[in-house]
Amino acid sequence: MARITTGTRQSPTGRARTRASAGAGLLLLGTLLTGCGAEPGEIPLSEIRPEVPSATPEATPAAAPGATPGVIGAAAGAPAAAVHNGLIVSRAYTDASRSSSAIVTFTPDGAGQHQVTQPPARALDDRPDWSPDGTTIAFDRTDPQTGAARLWTVPADGGTEHQVSPLCESGTADCSNEDERAPAFSPNGRQVAFSRSWGAVDAAGSHQIQYSDLYLMSPEGTDVQRLTFLTNDKPYSGAVSNPSWSPDGKQLTFEYRTSATGQPADSRAIYVVNADGTGLRQLTPWELRAGDRADWSPDGTQILFTTYPAGPDNAPGGGIYTVHPDGSAIGALTPAPSDTFYGTAAYAPDGKSIVFAQAPAGAGADLYSMRPDGTGVVRLTNSADKWLSRPAWGTADGPAAPAEQAQATAQASAAPSDRPSDQPSGQASGQASEAPQAPRPDSQKPAQAQGQGATEQPRPGTESESDSESDSGAGSESDE
């Protein structure tokens, strides 16, 4: 796997990516963002532009107000494939001091808690996301010594963890304080979106990192492309994080959290950008203070997001909302004003339920579910000491239809001469589902023992869930 030592990343073919022509920067609320000139092969990683695909209706969907992302399968006139709800994944602290956290899974009713990662002492595993087939979980792990995060994957039932190759390995300025967080699989599983922060830390101010933007890469860590340039000409202005894909894979939402020197200062909002880097626009108004990972409804008609009040992390007063992809029809699903803290929310794969984190004032968070209209709230877990947060809902195989079951049974019992000559032995004709079986949860593995204290280091990034104990430092990252 290729490594970056001179500021460019090479694909498996060894071809270094080069910067696109001048003037190909993105539009941010009508302002053209451009960078300074440089020769191909001498471009620092912070200046690499994504290679924009040829302009086609599918490659560059319209970003005009009122446009709604298409549903998967709708373009061909076919209904979307049936989906079935699998396990829920979440972050959980493993010790009373909240110095270490792991990735855990649950059944949809909150039972069968199973710890799938085994972090080193005082490391923080966080921001999990499912692969489309439900077999793999991507997450970030924060190193207790450096405070920097890197991207990892783990099988859904636990097992060997794998670190995705980091973008930088050298000590160049373009790789200083590099931090990679919040991985998100594309709907077809061929790309992973993630946030990257790098550069000098403003020690005199709020310890804000110099640059932060959204990137894409393959699940193996190759073919890296920079997608946004919000901080390119505005160092120390804020941090980009928590991407989420639309169901058709044509757009992403993400959080932009401004710093004390940003415009406006110390705020946050959800943005939308096309998957080719065009069409950047702000989705939620600053005054709502929307943050963390938004989530698209399976039919692509709604985007789910959470708001966080100004002030200390874990403060009550926010809520869970929905908005149309064109920014219209913002509506609250939770009561307001509220004396409750709300964390990240996510749709079930079938779109009939929402899982979210919630905590009474001064208490730890648990996971709850509700209907898409905000009614029917049910508590799923009773583990407030673990501060369960950032849930995501995976897919699972569903049972075969009765006709398919009968056909499979008849075919399995048929003599070899009764089978069609071109049909593999034992395989049901017209088998409905090709998705892998979701793993069965088992008992939770022992939590990692608390280790020695870590060296205090500033942490790049400004993410938005509520536990300041776990993400203090540059950008004042918070966890819910």
Side-chain angles (χ1 to χ4, degrees), residues 78-405:
V83 294
H84 303 277
N85 299 338
L87 298 176
I88 297 170
V89 68
S90 173
R91 189 280 312 273
Y93 284 114
T94 59
D95 62 325
S97 64
R98 298 183 184 175
S99 63
S100 183
S101 62
I103 304 303
V104 298
T105 58
F106 306 85
T107 56
D109 61 0
Q113 183 178 157
H114 172 50
Q115 184 176 328
V116 297
T117 68
Q118 303 297 325
R122 303 185 68 82
L124 296 168
D125 291 354
D126 207 343
R127 285 164 281 270
D129 187 57
W130 290 98
S131 63
D133 61 8
T135 63
T136 303
I137 298 169
F139 64 98
D140 61 53
R141 172 171 289 171
T142 301
D143 185 273
Q145 300 299 321
T146 65
R150 293 291 183 265
L151 305 183
W152 292 69
T153 61
V154 64
D157 58 353
T160 303
E161 301 161 359
H162 170 71
Q163 183 179 355
V164 180
S165 178
L167 270 67
C168 291
E169 290 188 338
S170 69
T172 65
D174 199 53
C175 295
S176 63
N177 297 311
E178 198 213 10
D179 188 88
E180 300 162 17
R181 296 178 187 257
F185 281 102
S186 64
N188 62 13
R190 296 174 184 172
Q191 288 183 298
V192 173
F194 64 101
S195 65
R196 177 178 182 259
S197 301
W198 72 98
V201 174
D202 181 16
S206 59
H207 298 282
Q208 177 68 41
I209 197 70
Q210 193 170 13
Y211 300 109
S212 176
D213 271 296
L214 205 64
Y215 283 72
L216 300 178
M217 66 179 178
S218 72
E220 296 76 28
T222 60
D223 299 324
V224 178
Q225 303 177 34
R226 185 174 177 182
L227 191 64
T228 66
F229 298 85
L230 279 167
T231 65
N232 195 62
D233 299 325
K234 300 177 182 179
Y236 305 108
S237 60
V240 169
S241 191
N242 295 305
S244 178
W245 294 82
S246 64
D248 59 11
K250 294 180 179 180
Q251 294 178 293
L252 298 97
T253 54
F254 62 91
E255 175 193 20
Y256 181 45
R257 189 172 183 181
T258 59
S259 68
T261 60
Q263 296 295 325
D266 298 317
S267 192
R268 63 213 315 174
I270 302 298
Y271 277 65
V272 177
V273 66
N274 293 333
D276 63 3
T278 63
L280 180 68
R281 57 192 170 88
Q282 186 174 338
L283 183 67
T284 63
W286 293 111
E287 54 267 25
L288 261 183
R289 296 185 57 84
D292 218 278
R293 178 171 284 170
D295 192 46
W296 298 69
S297 63
D299 64 3
T301 63
Q302 298 281 352
I303 296 173
L304 189 66
F305 66 92
T306 305
T307 64
Y308 299 89
D313 290 331
N314 304 345
I320 298 174
Y321 291 74
T322 58
V323 62
H324 290 170
D326 64 1
S328 65
I330 294 177
L333 299 182
T334 55
S338 174
D339 59 357
T340 300
F341 163 80
Y342 291 99
T344 299
Y347 283 102
D350 65 5
K352 297 178 180 179
S353 299
I354 291 171
V355 61
F356 62 99
Q358 175 181 313
D366 268 299
L367 300 186
Y368 294 73
S369 69
M370 62 181 170
R371 299 187 187 99
D373 62 1
T375 63
V377 175
V378 175
R379 185 170 185 169
L380 300 181
T381 64
N382 190 15
S383 305
D385 57 320
K386 296 180 179 180
W387 199 280
L388 300 171
S389 65
R390 291 195 172 105
W393 212 319
T395 59
D397 262 347
E404 292 165 345
Q405 290 176 337

Side-chain angles (χ1 to χ4, degrees), residues 27-110:
L27 287 174
L28 170 59
L29 303 180
T31 303
L32 186 64
L33 300 180
T34 57
C36 20
E39 294 298 322
E42 300 177 350
I43 312 300
L45 186 60
S46 61
E47 289 296 314
I48 297 176
R49 262 34 175 198
E51 293 178 350
V52 180
S54 301
T56 65
E58 294 181 355
T60 56
T68 301
V71 180
I72 297 175
V83 294
H84 303 277
N85 299 338
L87 298 176
I88 297 170
V89 68
S90 173
R91 189 280 312 273
Y93 284 114
T94 59
D95 62 325
S97 64
R98 298 183 184 175
S99 63
S100 183
S101 62
I103 304 303
V104 298
T105 58
F106 306 85
T107 56
D109 61 0

